[in-house]
Amino acid sequence: GCTSLKEVKVGTLVGDLGEKAFHGCSNLTSVEFARGPQKIGSKLFTLADNLENFVVGEGASEISNNVFHAYKVVYTQSPWGGTQVEEVDIDRQALKRVVLPESLQKIGSEAFYRCTSLSELTIPQGVTSIGASAFHGCAGLSNIEVPNGVTGLAAKTFGGCSSLENIALPNG
């Protein structure tokens, strides 16, 4: 992994940011894009558990599923001998702030799943689709405004958001 990497600042990224691009960057605390990327790949920050700040610039249109997926690997001895390896979902506790561009149109399923400390997030007005469990378990969110272009909410979009006091839904 890229365990020495602490901060990423990119001027412009026109293309896509692929799956698991920052996998294993365990000391990464901040990622900022002035412009782009167009699509943010799934499981982008697996095993990058210290990420606190994520800023996406204009030009991005999609956040894929499970972008902030967090897990630990558990090894257990099986009764018949040998070792079983299992990935167990855990809370992502460090992420506090996410800035998304107005160009964003889609937030995928479980995109911010179990980001328990996330407290600073505005869903841009350009968003028209929010996937199932997109913000499930985001216990730090207290207020959220769903943009006018969103015509429905998938299952458990805000499930487990125990501090959520106010959800402003679009008129219609």
Side-chain angles (χ1 to χ4, degrees):
C2 49
T3 57
S4 297
L5 185 63
K6 293 181 181 178
E7 186 175 291
V8 174
K9 287 188 178 188
V10 179
T12 300
L13 182 60
V14 177
D16 296 345
L17 192 54
E19 183 174 315
K20 294 185 177 183
F22 296 104
H23 174 81
C25 298
S26 56
N27 289 309
L28 186 63
T29 59
S30 181
V31 175
E32 297 184 19
F33 293 93
R35 177 150 181 78
Q38 186 173 356
K39 180 180 178 183
I40 298 165
S42 65
K43 298 182 180 180
L44 192 66
F45 297 106
T46 54
L47 302 179
D49 299 331
N50 291 309
L51 185 68
E52 296 176 12
N53 184 54
F54 182 56
V55 177
V56 181
E58 283 300 319
S61 61
E62 180 180 343
I63 294 179
S64 296
N65 302 341
N66 299 305
V67 170
F68 295 97
H69 180 243
Y71 67 90
K72 66 179 178 180
V73 177
V74 177
Y75 300 92
T76 55
Q77 289 299 120
S78 68
W80 54 87
T83 303
Q84 292 178 308
V85 180
E86 183 180 4
E87 288 181 7
V88 177
D89 287 342
I90 59 171
D91 294 342
R92 178 171 294 280
Q93 297 175 349
L95 186 66
K96 295 176 178 80
R97 177 176 177 259
V98 173
V99 177
L100 302 171
E102 288 301 319
S103 59
L104 192 68
Q105 298 170 2
K106 179 183 177 186
I107 298 174
S109 298
E110 298 183 357
F112 298 95
Y113 185 75
R114 291 175 71 171
C115 292
T116 57
S117 297
L118 181 61
S119 59
E120 207 176 317
L121 171 81
T122 301
I123 301 174
Q125 286 300 313
V127 171
T128 57
S129 174
I130 300 174
S133 300
F135 300 99
H136 188 275
C138 292
L141 290 178
S142 59
N143 294 293
I144 202 81
E145 183 176 334
V146 177
N148 289 329
V150 176
T151 57
L153 294 176
K156 300 180 183 179
T157 300
F158 298 106
C161 294
S162 56
S163 298
L164 199 55
E165 296 173 3
N166 182 37
I167 299 177
L169 297 172
N171 297 330

